[in-house]
Amino acid sequence: MSIAQNLELILSNIPKHVTLVAVSKTKPVGDIMEAYNAGQRIFGENKIQEMVDKHNQMPKDIQWHMIGHVQRNKVKYMAEFVSLIHGVDSFKLLKEINKQAKKHDRIINCLLQIKIADEDSKFGMSVNDTKHILQSEALKELKHICVTGVMGMATFTDDTNQIKREFNQLKSVFDELKTLQTKNCQLQTVSMGMSGDYQLAIDCGSTMIRVGSSIFGTRNY
Ligand SMILES: *Cc1c(COP(=O)(O)O)cnc(C)c1O
């Protein structure tokens, strides 16, 4: 099947309130243009330099999402255009994003990455650290960021029950935290679910899925 057909199939299988992020990491601009021409406008990348290069070459109405781990010293390269940063995992990083967004007179939307998997390899903050940040006075000073939701990655396993437990955990943390609405904390997004588990994630309350290989085919690293 073509990229356009893959996209169509996925979109026909997900509810309207769920946003599809097409994960285009490692894929060439030609492949991404195929998805663009089929109507897709939201793309996710996990390396800042790669996202900047693609942004420079591609139509400017694309919304670029940074879905990977973010190094603080590289935020400046994407601050001018990034539309959503999924993997924010510290207050220090939020501060740097705020600083760089200010230079461009923008507000950058961020998701806090919460560690739900029981694998050491996965990034993310504890639920307590997340609560602490969202309730802090210091957050209110960051006028150039807005925390719009949470993101999580389930354990890489065949055990559907475990994945479900982890997704349910993220959703319940979200439900608990979303009562904390302030000017720069407006929780509305639960980013969870990838090619292998997005249906399950949606059943568990995901509002944003990040799908790569089911659209673009397997990646060659
Ligand atoms: C690569 C990646 C995805 C997409 O994975 P697929 O299994 O190809 O759909 C989703 N989220 C993150 C954070 C990723 O790095």
Side-chain angles (χ1 to χ4, degrees):
M1 289 219 299
S2 70
I3 289 170
Q5 286 170 322
N6 290 338
L7 262 175
E8 195 186 347
L9 185 65
I10 294 167
L11 287 170
S12 69
N13 278 315
I14 63 174
K16 285 257 173 318
H17 72 273
V18 174
T19 303
L20 172 65
V21 179
V23 176
S24 50
K25 61 190 186 193
T26 79
K27 296 297 176 183
V29 165
D31 287 8
I32 308 174
M33 275 314 293
E34 215 177 308
Y36 179 90
N37 289 330
Q40 181 67 22
R41 289 294 180 274
I42 304 177
F43 293 93
E45 291 283 336
N46 72 337
K47 295 210 167 66
I48 292 174
Q49 191 54 55
E50 186 175 338
M51 185 173 77
V52 169
D53 290 344
K54 288 172 176 172
H55 164 74
N56 287 338
Q57 296 174 57
M58 298 194 63
K60 294 300 172 275
D61 62 342
I62 289 177
Q63 296 168 43
W64 292 100
H65 287 199
M66 173 43 57
I67 62 168
H69 184 66
V70 175
Q71 285 171 277
R72 282 206 302 282
N73 61 353
K74 291 189 178 159
V75 172
K76 55 178 177 282
Y77 301 119
M78 63 174 168
E80 191 179 356
F81 69 90
V82 68
S83 135
L84 180 64
I85 303 177
H86 289 234
V88 178
D89 61 356
S90 72
F91 185 73
K92 270 185 165 171
L93 179 56
L94 271 182
K95 251 177 99 168
E96 176 63 16
I97 296 168
N98 182 71
K99 179 178 157 189
Q100 299 301 334
K102 189 172 178 199
K103 289 184 185 166
H104 297 283
D105 196 25
R106 302 184 61 208
I107 291 172
I108 296 181
N109 291 334
C110 297
L111 305 181
L112 296 183
Q113 184 169 357
I114 299 176
K115 190 175 186 304
I116 50 173
D118 60 5
E119 283 169 78
D120 289 339
S121 58
K122 299 266 159 80
F123 291 103
M125 299 188 291
S126 69
V127 173
N128 274 340
D129 287 349
T130 308
K131 283 184 191 167
H132 187 76
I133 289 177
L134 292 181
Q135 291 167 334
S136 70
E137 285 300 312
L139 182 72
K140 301 196 176 97
E141 304 298 312
L142 306 183
K143 300 197 163 42
H144 290 269
I145 56 107
C146 186
V147 180
T148 58
V150 295
M151 181 268 213
M153 285 174 90
T155 302
F156 186 72
T157 172
D158 290 333
D159 183 350
T160 313
N161 283 323
Q162 181 174 0
I163 298 173
K164 198 169 160 186
R165 257 198 322 275
E166 294 174 355
F167 284 157
N168 281 330
Q169 190 199 342
L170 186 62
K171 176 61 163 60
S172 66
V173 173
F174 170 80
D175 285 339
E176 188 186 338
L177 295 175
K178 78 174 179 222
T179 55
L180 301 165
Q181 301 277 0
T182 61
K183 211 161 179 200
N184 63 355
C185 175
Q186 306 275 335
L187 302 188
Q188 55 200 22
T189 299
V190 183
S191 167
M192 62 184 185
M194 324 201 313
S195 290
D197 55 20
Y198 69 84
Q199 289 293 0
L200 182 59
I202 293 168
D203 292 343
C204 297
S206 170
T207 67
M208 187 175 276
I209 56 174
R210 311 175 308 267
V211 179
S213 41
S214 290
I215 298 171
F216 295 105
T218 50
R219 288 176 292 272
N220 314 301
Y221 286 97

